[in-house]
Amino acid sequence: MYDMNTAPAPLLPVAAPAPVWARRAAHAIALCAVPSGLWRIAMASGVYVGYSEQVLRDVFDIPGWGIAYVVGLSVLAELAALFPLLLVSERWRPLRPRAMTAVAWTASVVLVLVALWQLVVAFTVESQTYMTSDTAQTVWAFIFAPLFAIPALMTAVTWSYAKRHRGQA
């Protein structure tokens, strides 16, 4: 029997929709990972990407297990680059927005640290000597440059998410 005196359970507060700029930034993150992923897949497929056959064999183990590593890295990077889309989705609502905010801030910090480390690696003499020509190095730089936008974009999307879900349990 239904008792009219019992109050219904309070509904969880619904966050405001993500602003347009945050949605665009989340989509840009996913797009920033595409060029480097395609470059890696081309490398695994045997397309000349600037490395000699000896470097591919000795350093990257291509052909061999290096193919699985390079393709797997591309797939994982793209899947990770899709994560910010969850932060701006209006269809997907996490049960614990605070936990998701913590995960997103952690991801942002890790991305900033990885980007800084990659700058150090990119400018070391050893990493530059693997390329067979200056043209190949320039193409490589243009292909991987969009990855350096991801930490800033992720931080902006995370900030937007945290702001919209502030105070939710």
Side-chain angles (χ1 to χ4, degrees):
M1 184 158 99
Y2 180 73
D3 183 9
M4 293 185 64
N5 293 329
T6 52
L11 297 174
L12 292 174
V14 177
V20 173
W21 67 264
R23 278 188 251 136
R24 287 183 181 157
H27 284 86
I29 292 169
L31 291 175
C32 284
V34 171
S36 60
L38 292 175
W39 184 86
R40 284 189 208 101
I41 290 171
M43 182 173 92
S45 301
V47 174
Y48 175 74
V49 293
Y51 295 124
S52 69
E53 287 185 31
Q54 182 181 357
V55 168
L56 287 175
R57 192 174 44 257
D58 296 344
V59 177
F60 296 105
D61 196 24
I62 295 175
W65 285 103
I67 293 173
Y69 169 74
V70 169
V71 171
L73 180 62
S74 297
V75 170
L76 285 174
E78 192 57 46
L79 286 174
L82 295 174
F83 169 71
L85 294 175
L86 293 176
L87 299 177
V88 298
S89 173
E90 294 185 25
R91 293 182 185 168
W92 183 78
R93 301 277 184 210
L95 294 176
R96 297 182 172 203
R98 280 190 188 163
M100 184 57 68
T101 302
V103 169
W105 279 121
T106 302
S108 293
V109 169
V110 167
L111 285 168
V112 168
L113 294 174
V114 167
L116 291 171
W117 176 249
Q118 287 303 312
L119 280 173
V120 170
V121 170
F123 291 108
T124 61
V125 176
E126 183 179 341
S127 66
Q128 292 181 10
T129 58
Y130 289 146
M131 289 286 174
T132 57
S133 70
D134 288 339
T135 303
Q137 240 178 348
T138 302
V139 169
W140 178 86
F142 277 111
I143 295 286
F144 281 84
L147 294 178
F148 289 104
I150 292 176
L153 292 169
M154 181 63 187
T155 301
V157 171
T158 300
W159 176 80
S160 171
Y161 180 85
K163 183 178 172 187
R164 288 181 291 115
H165 290 85
R166 187 174 295 141
Q168 290 185 8

